Amino acid sequence: LGLAGAALVALRRPDARAWLDRAKLRLPYVKDIFIKIYLTRLMRVMGISLERGVTILDTLGACRNVIPNAEFQRFLGELEVQVTEGRGIAAGFRDSPLIPSSVKQMIDTGEATGSLGKVMARVADFYERDLTRQLNRLAKMAEPVMLMVMGVLVGTIVTSIILPIFKMSRAVH
């Protein structure tokens, strides 16, 4: 409980929070999951906003509040600067190492054809389905591990209860 409390207090500090956000995007399997979560949120908000006629700069500002990761917020800030400079949103996505290449190509195509909102909504749908599949696979892989851990715990508890009973019965004989 003390370690959990210390971790919660530490995570309230901005530097520790930024470290955790960077770690989420660097760990091998966890990275894929978090990038898909953040991309789904980003594409969903941007797709809906752009289809409803909201400007790109206002949309990017709103997206900063939706995504809680400092690395993605920095990416959105850089994207805002590039859009303000007139480079376009696709150029900002192309420059980011956080964004998968397929998304970069889709954004580029959507911006070129003028259907950026629809493309972003489709990307969000794709990543949402992919994320659901990946999390279901992870849950199926975790089930046997949890079953083994529960077996060890139950075995330990049963042994700790029955072993003293056997020792007492030997002492009585």
Side-chain angles (χ1 to χ4, degrees), residues 13 21 24 38 49 62 68 82 87 89 99 112 119-120 156 158:
R13 294 183 19 221
D21 287 344
K24 286 181 197 175
Y38 298 143
S49 298
Q82 290 179 357
R87 289 187 57 207
I89 198 165
I99 308 299
V119 168
M120 288 183 167
T156 303
V158 168

Side-chain angles (χ1 to χ4, degrees), residues 53-106:
V54 179
T55 65
I56 290 179
L57 288 176
D58 290 338
T59 299
L60 291 172
C63 287
R64 276 187 169 182
N65 297 328
V66 173
I67 299 177
N69 188 287
E71 295 289 311
F72 262 85
Q73 288 177 353
R74 185 173 341 126
F75 159 68
L76 290 172
E78 293 169 2
L79 197 59
E80 270 184 273
V81 169
Q82 290 179 357
V83 168
T84 304
E85 292 173 351
R87 289 187 57 207
I89 198 165
F93 273 88
R94 257 192 314 269
D95 295 342
S96 176
L98 297 171
I99 308 299
S101 60
S102 60
V103 175
K104 293 175 184 179
Q105 292 171 356
M106 295 288 286

Side-chain angles (χ1 to χ4, degrees), residues 3 6 9 19-20 22 27 41-42 51 56 70-72 79 90 103 113 128 130 144 148 153 155 165:
L3 286 174
V9 170
W19 177 84
L20 181 63
R22 278 191 305 278
L27 294 173
R41 286 182 185 179
L42 177 65
E51 284 183 341
I56 290 179
E71 295 289 311
F72 262 85
L79 197 59
V103 175
T113 61
E128 190 170 8
D130 192 37
M148 288 178 11
L153 286 174
I165 293 173

Side-chain angles (χ1 to χ4, degrees), residues 109-127:
T109 304
E111 189 174 48
T113 61
S115 59
L116 191 58
K118 287 182 182 180
V119 168
M120 288 183 167
R122 287 184 182 153
V123 170
D125 290 338
F126 170 77
Y127 273 102

